[in-house]
Amino acid sequence: MTRRSVATVVASAGVGSDPAYGSLTPPLWTSDTYEWGDPEEKPRYDYSRTVNPNRDLVAAALAELEGAAGGVLTNSGQSAALLALLLVPPGGLVVAPHDCYGGTYRLIVGLEEKRLVRARFVDQADDAAFERAMDEKPALLWLETPSNPLLRVVDVARRAAHAKAAGALTVADNTLLTPCRQRPLALGCDVVMHSTTKALNGHSDLFGGALLVADPELLEKAHWWANAAGLSASAHDAWQTLRGLRTLPLRVDRQEASAREIAAWLSERPQVAAVHYPGLESDAGYQLAARQQDGPGFMLSFRVKGGGAATKAFLNELQLITLASSLGGFSTLICVPSTMTHRGMPPEAQAEAGIDPGLLRLSVGLEAPADLIADIERGLAAAA
Ligand code: PLP
């Protein structure tokens, strides 16, 4: 079957799924439990931790978008990451990017301290370092591209092929780009992870995660663990995620167009020391992003000249843009990763990844780009 467009998948997901009244939009099935006709015959829906119709609708839509056999909807991005890591055999080696999301770093290190996995954080753009890590026969390769917050791009197809040859599963955190802009399974990955808290829901009003799995047997294992460990998303969060998902392609188009404009504008400002955005021709990841992504996305990071005092003055002056952790929502957010999103990473690991207090991360929302630029301009004037 030919692949349906993202717009069609999200607009039609769950339509016609109400068996009782034929409502257009799917109802919210909040019941914790379901009636059995016969104790010997488990019904399709029996207990909501295990299986729930609202979760199933979102998982089916996301699985179609990512080209997966199916998916598991979890109660946060972190529980989706944990679920992926629970697929690693005892003591298996996890190779993750040295500049991954701080919460992912914290989780992998926490599991290593309990001796459930072993961990290596490597610069995945460095061929020699990556090859050395693959020589150690890892069980799982974790990809996050573009990385958060430095927007570094790694070659997904090349890295996933190498991992497969080494016997490892590849999991890609696709939160920053969404399936509108990158489809890691088509590039050879085994599992895609999302924080649905971010752009997939897009309204900054819930927590959720998802694991989309290519292999049906591995999918079964993920469902088993989600049920066993109680990681499943609530029916309400799943219902609301589907509502947010309806407008995903429209939001990503608009947010990305604004991010392009802001990144280009920032790169010409004398008060700005650096801009990291794979949509800029000057960016190290530009060529690779143009090849493996369908667009550069809505995230960028930058540095203001003048050190800590200038950065503080810049942030204090912003009126429209909010200083807050999170990304992908309707509202433009700025954060200082070193003390906010990446505080789970110790200072040495931050330094190795290139994260310091002068780095600012911007998640571009749905406001008019001219108003966002005016806000940033006000900040830069205060920092000068
Ligand atoms: N992955 C990425 C790239 C993130 O940015 C985040 C959160 O910021 C997560 C995973 C974790 O998701 P959640 O906050 O929903 O647990």
Side-chain angles (χ1 to χ4, degrees):
M1 200 176 95
T2 53
R3 191 155 74 85
R4 298 197 301 164
S5 73
V6 175
T8 302
V9 174
V10 298
S12 62
V15 170
S17 63
D18 172 13
Y21 302 108
S23 64
L24 178 75
T25 58
L28 171 54
W29 283 281
T30 56
S31 183
D32 65 335
T33 197
Y34 291 79
E35 189 178 357
W36 292 51
D38 176 335
E40 306 287 318
E41 277 181 45
K42 185 177 127 24
R44 177 165 172 221
Y45 293 102
D46 59 338
Y47 190 63
S48 251
R49 167 164 38 76
T50 319
V51 62
N52 169 273
N54 293 106
R55 281 205 303 274
D56 280 358
L57 293 176
V58 181
L62 293 181
E64 184 172 353
L65 294 179
E66 292 286 8
V72 182
L73 227 63
T74 61
N75 52 34
S76 70
Q78 283 311 100
S79 55
L82 174 62
L83 187 54
L85 292 163
L86 287 170
L87 302 174
V88 174
L93 178 65
V94 175
V95 173
H98 73 321
D99 56 347
C100 61
Y101 166 60
T104 307
Y105 181 94
R106 179 169 46 207
L107 174 62
I108 294 173
V109 169
L111 294 176
E112 183 175 44
E113 282 169 4
K114 288 191 139 311
R115 297 180 190 280
L116 295 172
V117 300
R118 289 171 299 125
R120 292 275 177 286
F121 294 94
V122 299
D123 177 353
Q124 296 188 349
D126 176 341
D127 283 341
F130 184 81
E131 275 160 31
R132 274 197 305 278
M134 288 299 113
D135 287 346
E136 291 187 59
K137 298 280 168 230
L140 188 143
L141 169 65
W142 192 276
L143 295 180
E144 189 188 311
T145 174
S147 67
N148 174 9
L150 280 149
L151 286 304
R152 292 193 185 109
V153 182
V154 299
D155 189 329
V156 176
R158 219 168 119 228
R159 294 307 186 221
H162 201 143
K164 186 171 252 162
L169 284 178
T170 301
V171 179
D173 181 340
N174 204 23
T175 301
L176 260 63
L177 285 182
T178 83
C180 295
R181 292 294 182 264
Q182 179 167 265
R183 294 176 74 245
L185 299 186
L187 296 169
C189 297
D190 301 287
V191 177
V192 169
M193 181 242 135
H194 279 286
S195 164
T196 58
T197 312
K198 309 293 169 3
L200 296 184
N201 176 56
H203 291 71
S204 293
D205 52 7
L206 60 80
F207 264 90
L211 221 56
L212 294 316
V213 186
D215 172 48
E217 243 175 73
L218 196 61
L219 174 66
E220 267 321 295
K221 279 190 194 155
H223 274 300
W224 189 92
W225 270 113
N227 180 47
L231 304 178
S232 314
S234 75
H236 187 273
D237 285 347
W239 177 83
Q240 204 166 337
T241 301
L242 186 58
R243 196 175 193 277
L245 196 61
R246 303 264 185 231
T247 53
L248 175 73
L250 300 172
R251 289 185 280 107
V252 170
D253 284 354
R254 166 65 185 257
Q255 289 171 240
E256 182 183 69
S258 300
R260 277 184 196 273
E261 203 174 319
I262 294 168
W265 182 86
L266 277 173
S267 67
E268 285 169 4
R269 299 276 84 68
Q271 306 98 313
V272 173
V275 184
H276 306 282
Y277 184 60
L280 289 175
E281 269 183 61
S282 55
D283 193 89
Y286 177 79
Q287 299 285 354
L288 186 52
R291 213 169 62 230
Q292 74 184 12
Q293 301 174 196
D294 294 321
F298 48 74
M299 297 294 297
L300 58 101
S301 54
F302 64 102
R303 292 169 193 282
V304 175
K305 281 184 189 161
T311 304
K312 264 223 158 89
F314 170 80
L315 292 171
N316 283 340
E317 202 59 28
L318 298 176
Q319 292 171 9
L320 179 61
I321 299 170
T322 306
L323 179 68
S325 300
S326 203
L327 59 94
F330 63 91
S331 184
T332 299
L333 304 182
I334 196 160
C335 80
V336 181
S338 69
T339 53
M340 297 171 73
T341 54
H342 286 64
R343 66 176 179 276
M345 227 184 216
E348 322 79 72
Q350 285 197 8
E352 208 162 299
I355 299 168
D356 59 70
L359 185 71
L360 299 171
R361 189 190 77 181
L362 193 72
S363 171
V364 180
L366 293 171
E367 305 89 339
D371 293 335
L372 293 169
I373 286 175
D375 205 35
I376 298 170
E377 193 161 31
R378 201 169 24 243
L380 291 179

